[in-house]
């Protein structure tokens, strides 16, 4: 380490709150490479994914409504990301389009720029169209004398420029996503409205946003309107930032020969989640909102919550019996079956030959973990993050949410398993973060640190390799009890590009 890092480097690492041991560990993972995940098979209905009939769903919904007041429930919304990717294709258009010599049709045909064509065709249906047009006319008073191509060019320029709306540099949470009765609605508001399903009459509804500090006032300007909600914020801790390296795995340096650290990805948010003290915590991304499917979303949120209540209640009952030690062999067999079939944790064959005391010890270890119940949407042909049975280094099979970047696509068997995925992960999760004694789990103890990512980026025009911490719902929750439940596509309405706002789930039903 002394050879790689100077004394100045070591002081800088300590000053910014990073752990020298962790930085050294990251560096060694760059050099050694991160092992790919070992897929056994995709999780399917009846084998890792639960599916329920309409009657069963109604029963769970009633159960949730009956017992929700017995718990403190909170919603956790990762919302710190800028909307840069939403407008990536428009940024490319502004960089490449020459208004003096190009025509819009010529540019679209030459570059096969279907996204630009869709954006222009649907422009008047975006919730921000009125504001955009007014701001464009302010900046370009000759707007009405422009040709049609020039008008579109200047509208796009206004949308993204600093003196215009500057949307690509703002967080998604504060952007206009929906228009209802001529009122602009942001994702922050939609997330707050959606949390209504776990509202209690005797206390404020809790919702937590992870944000970038510089935009807190923008968030508060919106959230302060909701007095019946207890809204809190946190930031991604800089001490979770990770070291970037050159292509030869030596530390990348910027001005004054300083080391360069980047945010460690959403896996760093396990610390933010760990700081919350509610019994149950729902997790959903800031951009996954809808103004037309609210009733369906609410039903399936209650379904996931009721499953967590019932499974947790059973686990707590078993753990209390196991800790007391007063368990018959018959009861141990019952608990083993529950662990395998309901908690999705197959036990080793040799378990049956363990002494009773070790069986008890083993089952306590298996069941005494945080629990997550995750909605899974049917895969419509787009492989990506999804539920799989995975084999760990000890040969055990566990249920995991796996991203495509974790899969060895050069391995034909692994590639074939990945292609057979029947479901994908929409990030629709409810977490039970307390143990059977009512104490908070330390969630950082359940992270698989080997499930990190190495990604290729650029900095100052130079290629770099970046280290991303195990994803929040991937490696950061790898050692949780995981239950995967099929939910309908209507519950998944992400806005990855601005054109997604033209989909029916984001357009006013009256419009």
């Amino acid at each position: 380490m002394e050879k790689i890092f100077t004394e100045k480097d070591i002081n800088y690492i300590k000053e910014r709150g990073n752990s020298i041991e962790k930085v050294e560990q990251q560096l060694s993972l760059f050099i050694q490479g991160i092992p790919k995940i070992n897929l056994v098979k995709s999780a399917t209905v009846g084998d890792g994914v639960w599916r329920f009939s309409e009657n069963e769903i109604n029963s769970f919904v009633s159960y949730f409504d009956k017992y929700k007041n017995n718990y403190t429930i909170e919603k956790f919304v990762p919302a710190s990301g800028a909307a840069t990717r939403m407008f990536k294709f428009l940024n490319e258009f502004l960089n490449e389009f020459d208004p003096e010599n190009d025509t819009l049709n010529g540019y679209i045909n030459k570059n096969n720029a279907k996204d630009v064509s869709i954006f222009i065709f649907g422009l008047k249906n975006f919730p921000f169209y009125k504001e955009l047009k007014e701001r464009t006319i302010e900046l370009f008073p000759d707007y009405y004398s422009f040709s049609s191509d020039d008008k579109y060019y200047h509208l796009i320029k206004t949308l993204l420029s600093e003196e215009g709306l500057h949307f690509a540099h703002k967080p998604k949470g504060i952007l206009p996503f929906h228009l209802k009765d001529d009122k602009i609605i942001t994702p922050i508001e939609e997330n707050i409205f959606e949390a209504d399903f776990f509202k209690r009459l005797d206390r404020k509804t809790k919702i937590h946003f992870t944000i970038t500090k510089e935009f807190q006032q923008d968030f508060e300007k919106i959230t302060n309107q909701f007095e019946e909600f207890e809204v809190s914020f946190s930031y991604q801790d800089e001490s979770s930032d990770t070291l970037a390296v050159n292509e030869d795995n030596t530390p990348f340096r910027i001005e004054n020969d300083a080391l360069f650290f980047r945010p460690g990805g959403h896996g760093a948010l396990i610390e933010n989640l760990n700081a919350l003290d509610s019994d149950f915590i729902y997790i959903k991304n800031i951009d996954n909102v809808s103004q037309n499917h609210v009733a369906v979303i609410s039903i399936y949120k209650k379904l996931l919550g009721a499953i967590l209540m019932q499974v947790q209640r059973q686990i707590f009952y078993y753990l209390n019996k196991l800790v007391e030690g007063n368990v018959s062999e018959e009861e141990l067999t019952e608990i083993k079956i529950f662990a395998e079939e309901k908690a999705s944790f197959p036990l080793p064959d040799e378990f049956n030959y363990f002494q009773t005391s070790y069986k008890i010890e083993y089952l306590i270890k298996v069941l005494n973990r945080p629990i997550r119940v995750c909605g899974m949407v049917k895969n419509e042909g787009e492989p990506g993050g999804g539920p799989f049975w995975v084999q760990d280094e000890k040969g055990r099979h566990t249920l995991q949410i796996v991203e495509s970047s974790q899969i060895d696509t050069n391995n034909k068997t692994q590639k074939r398993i990945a292609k057979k995925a029947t479901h994908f992960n929409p990030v629709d999760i409810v977490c039970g973060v307390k143990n059977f004694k009512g104490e908070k789990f330390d969630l950082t103890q359940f992270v698989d640190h080997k499930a990190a990512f190495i990604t290729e980026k650029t900095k100052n025009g130079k290629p770099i390799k970046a280290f991303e911490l195990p994803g929040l719902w991937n490696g950061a929750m790898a050692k949780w009890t995981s239950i995967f439940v099929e939910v309908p596509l209507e519950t998944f309405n992400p806005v990855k590009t601005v054109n997604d706002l033209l989909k029916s789930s984001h357009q006013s039903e009256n419009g």
Side-chain angles (χ1 to χ4, degrees):
M1 175 160 164
E2 283 73 22
K3 294 175 186 174
I4 298 166
F5 296 121
T6 65
E7 194 174 331
K8 181 185 166 189
D9 291 337
I10 293 168
N11 289 335
Y12 177 60
I13 292 167
K14 287 178 178 174
E15 275 169 24
R16 65 189 322 284
N18 288 81
S19 154
I20 290 172
E21 290 72 26
K22 281 185 181 174
V23 172
E24 195 175 23
Q25 184 186 45
Q26 288 161 17
L27 203 54
S28 67
L29 284 169
F30 276 122
I31 295 162
Q32 295 162 16
I34 293 172
K36 294 290 186 181
I37 209 142
N38 186 6
L39 302 180
V40 178
K41 56 186 172 178
S42 64
T44 54
V45 171
D47 186 16
V49 177
W50 299 6
R51 177 187 284 164
F52 295 101
S53 68
E54 193 176 336
N55 283 343
E56 287 171 320
I57 291 166
N58 290 337
S59 174
F60 276 116
V61 168
S62 299
Y63 186 92
F64 181 88
D65 287 336
K66 184 177 180 181
Y67 292 106
K68 68 178 180 181
N69 288 351
N70 296 349
Y71 302 90
T72 55
I73 304 178
E74 189 162 2
K75 188 176 182 185
F76 179 87
V77 185
S80 52
T84 316
R85 285 186 203 166
M86 261 181 80
F87 303 97
K88 185 171 179 277
F89 71 91
L90 293 177
N91 258 319
E92 287 170 357
F93 165 76
L94 289 178
N95 290 333
E96 296 165 3
F97 183 78
D98 178 1
E100 299 294 321
N101 300 304
D102 293 341
T103 64
L104 269 176
N105 275 339
Y107 173 86
I108 289 164
N109 292 332
K110 180 184 167 190
N111 296 281
N112 194 24
K114 291 176 187 169
D115 286 341
V116 176
S117 178
I118 291 166
F119 177 83
I120 287 168
F121 185 75
L123 188 57
K124 290 182 180 177
N125 295 316
F126 286 108
F128 50 76
Y129 175 68
K130 188 181 173 193
E131 181 189 8
L132 175 61
K133 188 174 178 183
E134 287 171 358
R135 186 74 185 122
T136 307
I137 293 164
E138 279 176 29
L139 291 174
F140 306 100
D142 296 336
Y143 173 83
Y144 286 110
S145 66
F146 291 168
S147 68
S148 174
D149 279 13
D150 269 354
K151 281 178 180 172
Y152 287 125
Y153 172 76
H154 284 89
L155 284 161
I156 293 171
K157 193 174 179 181
T158 302
L159 184 72
L160 300 184
S161 68
E162 196 169 343
E163 62 274 17
L165 302 185
H166 211 210
F167 273 5
H169 291 270
K170 291 179 178 177
K172 279 186 183 181
I174 66 173
L175 296 184
F177 263 35
H178 300 148
L179 188 64
K180 198 165 191 176
D181 302 327
D182 290 329
K183 186 183 183 299
I184 291 287
I185 303 172
T186 63
I188 297 171
E189 290 162 286
E190 291 291 15
N191 270 283
I192 290 174
F193 298 150
E194 192 188 276
D196 198 57
F197 75 93
F198 64 83
K199 190 176 188 177
R200 285 173 57 165
L201 296 175
D202 61 337
R203 63 178 63 186
K204 290 187 174 186
T205 307
K206 295 168 80 173
I207 183 162
H208 183 90
F209 294 94
T210 66
I211 62 170
T212 309
K213 198 170 187 176
E214 64 179 298
F215 291 107
Q216 182 158 342
Q217 280 189 327
D218 297 287
F219 273 78
E220 286 177 343
K221 194 174 175 184
I222 297 166
T223 60
N224 285 345
Q225 303 166 48
F226 297 90
E227 291 180 7
E228 69 277 27
F229 285 82
E230 183 185 320
V231 180
S232 57
F233 302 101
S234 64
Y235 322 118
Q236 193 165 312
D237 194 338
E238 278 189 16
S239 68
S240 66
D241 291 354
T242 60
L243 185 69
V245 299
N246 295 299
E247 289 180 303
D248 64 357
N249 299 317
T250 57
F252 181 83
R253 296 179 182 275
I254 49 175
E255 310 84 54
N256 303 321
D257 212 29
L259 297 171
F260 177 53
F261 284 82
R262 298 180 71 262
H266 62 66
L269 299 180
I270 196 71
E271 298 279 4
N272 305 57
L273 187 67
N274 201 32
L276 302 186
D277 194 39
S278 297
D279 297 322
F280 294 158
I281 302 166
Y282 281 87
I283 302 177
K284 195 173 185 185
N285 282 330
I286 186 71
D287 66 324
N288 183 10
V289 289
S290 169
Q291 62 173 333
N292 300 330
H293 300 154
V294 178
V296 175
I297 290 166
S298 178
I299 286 168
Y300 282 90
K301 281 277 189 282
K302 290 178 179 183
L303 168 69
L304 300 181
I307 292 166
L308 176 56
M309 286 175 186
Q310 293 188 13
V311 168
Q312 188 191 69
R313 187 177 168 193
Q314 190 65 53
I315 285 175
F316 286 2
Y317 170 76
Y318 285 146
L319 282 169
N320 278 307
K321 280 192 86 74
L322 289 165
V323 167
E324 285 166 14
N326 187 21
V327 226
S328 65
E329 279 298 323
E330 194 179 323
E331 285 172 318
L332 282 172
T333 303
E334 179 190 321
I335 298 170
K336 173 186 180 281
I337 292 167
F338 176 88
E340 294 190 313
E341 295 183 1
K342 297 293 185 188
S344 304
F345 198 98
L347 273 64
D349 294 337
E350 59 268 25
F351 177 86
N352 295 324
Y353 305 105
F354 291 168
Q355 288 183 342
T356 301
S357 61
Y358 189 50
K359 280 183 179 177
I360 290 170
E361 190 183 322
Y362 197 93
L363 285 168
I364 289 172
K365 197 174 178 186
V366 165
L367 293 177
N368 194 25
R369 309 161 180 257
I371 309 166
R372 59 175 177 165
V373 180
C374 312
M376 293 291 164
V377 175
K378 275 187 189 173
N379 194 330
E380 301 291 328
E382 289 189 39
F388 291 89
W389 286 100
V390 166
Q391 183 170 304
D392 66 16
E393 65 277 5
K394 292 181 181 174
R396 295 173 305 196
H397 292 183
T398 61
L399 270 183
Q400 301 292 342
I401 295 171
V402 180
E403 295 296 331
S404 49
S405 57
Q406 295 177 278
I407 299 167
D408 183 1
T409 50
N410 295 320
N411 180 311
K412 286 181 182 176
T413 306
Q414 293 291 289
K415 196 173 179 181
R416 189 167 63 247
I417 294 169
K419 279 193 170 177
K420 285 184 177 175
T422 58
H423 292 75
F424 69 89
N425 162 44
V427 188
D428 196 355
I429 304 171
V430 57
C431 309
V433 294
K434 291 184 179 175
N435 67 18
F436 66 106
K437 296 175 184 175
E439 304 159 336
K440 270 283 312 297
F441 282 110
D442 177 2
L443 303 182
T444 63
Q445 299 302 305
F446 298 87
V447 176
D448 177 6
H449 295 286
K450 290 181 182 172
F453 305 84
I454 291 174
T455 55
E456 292 177 4
K457 306 280 182 182
T458 58
K459 174 68 177 172
N460 300 337
K462 296 172 186 173
I464 61 169
K465 283 156 74 174
F467 187 93
E468 295 209 3
L469 299 168
L472 181 58
W473 37 83
N474 311 108
M477 295 183 176
K479 297 174 184 178
W480 291 38
T481 293
S482 296
I483 294 165
F484 298 154
V485 179
E486 187 175 271
V487 295
L489 197 58
E490 291 94 323
T491 63
F492 185 53
N493 305 285
V495 178
K496 298 304 175 195
T497 86
V498 65
N499 286 350
D500 287 332
L501 292 176
L502 298 172
K503 292 178 178 175
S504 61
S505 58
H506 299 287
Q507 290 287 307
S508 172
E509 288 175 319
N510 307 322

